[in-house]
Amino acid sequence: MKEYVNMKRYVALLRGINISGKNKISMIELKQCFERLDYTEVKTYLNSGNVIFSSDETDRIKITSQIEEMIKNQFHLDIPVFITSKEKLEDILHHAPDWWGNENKEIYDNLVFIIPPATCKDVYNEIGEPKEGLEKVKEYKEIVFWSFSRREYQKTNWWSKTANVNIYN
């Protein structure tokens, strides 16, 4: 029986899983693969490739490498993985701007996690300024809070450019 005393809670965000029929991964299989890596309390979220788990490992780079290698070996996919701890995610959400995450249904709120070695500055330089009145961005550490008008998303600067290969990768 595994001892849970020194376990740390993490969230793994797998880039581009199960989108438009591409990079298909069964969440049941993904959960089992995480458990085979000796992670505990594993839960998947929807069909998104987001996984919550516990580990006594504290090195995020090591965890990221293990998960990326497992995905490559098990599912034959090269998927970028972003790992954050529960504490870091709570810190990020604590620093959300006032305009982000409120109950306004006209606005779509996003968190953009920047996968190293890329930086927020790199992303901002590639995409440019948000369009006044249609979208807002604020960076904090390795993430960007981004909100835009649901009705006029196609007019925003960031919407079309976030799918661009340079940014996507």
Side-chain angles (χ1 to χ4, degrees):
M1 186 89 168
K2 189 147 182 146
E3 182 68 39
Y4 294 113
V5 175
N6 295 320
M7 296 298 224
K8 190 166 184 163
R9 203 77 171 130
Y10 293 99
V11 177
L13 306 172
L14 282 58
R15 179 74 173 116
I17 296 297
N18 298 332
I19 296 176
S20 303
K22 294 181 182 175
N23 297 333
K24 287 185 169 187
I25 293 181
S26 155
M27 293 300 101
I28 293 168
E29 282 182 71
L30 185 61
K31 180 180 187 283
Q32 292 168 346
C33 289
F34 268 70
E35 289 167 343
R36 281 196 294 275
L37 288 173
D38 213 20
Y39 299 135
T40 59
E41 303 176 280
V42 179
K43 293 181 171 130
T44 59
Y45 182 72
L46 301 173
N47 203 28
S48 63
N50 297 338
V51 183
I52 302 163
F53 63 99
S54 294
S55 175
D56 53 6
E57 179 59 61
T58 58
D59 184 343
R60 284 186 348 174
I61 294 169
K62 184 175 179 181
I63 295 170
T64 301
S65 296
Q66 287 176 333
I67 294 170
E68 286 176 343
E69 185 176 326
M70 174 271 292
I71 292 169
K72 189 174 216 163
N73 293 338
Q74 184 68 31
F75 301 102
H76 311 291
L77 296 170
D78 256 331
I79 300 297
V81 174
F82 182 87
I83 302 292
T84 192
S85 68
K86 175 186 172 196
E87 293 80 16
K88 285 188 181 221
L89 188 56
E90 287 171 343
D91 176 61
I92 289 166
L93 295 174
H94 179 73
H95 286 87
D98 292 339
W99 47 261
W100 189 89
N102 60 34
E103 298 300 316
N104 185 347
K105 301 295 182 207
E106 300 292 314
I107 303 298
Y108 191 75
D109 296 313
N110 297 274
L111 270 179
V112 179
F113 291 87
I114 311 300
I115 299 174
T119 65
C120 287
K121 184 178 180 183
D122 295 333
V123 172
Y124 212 87
N125 287 341
E126 188 71 32
I127 297 176
E129 294 290 325
K131 283 202 180 164
E132 186 75 32
L134 295 178
E135 61 187 331
K136 294 179 182 179
V137 297
K138 179 190 175 203
E139 67 181 75
Y140 178 71
K141 296 186 178 181
E142 69 262 359
I143 66 95
V144 176
F145 294 95
W146 170 38
S147 296
F148 57 84
S149 165
R150 286 182 185 268
R151 274 191 250 155
E152 300 183 279
Y153 71 91
Q154 293 168 323
K155 295 179 185 176
T156 67
N157 193 32
W158 279 49
W159 177 261
S160 62
K161 292 183 180 178
T162 52
N164 177 298
V165 173
N166 291 336
I167 295 300
Y168 184 86
N169 289 336

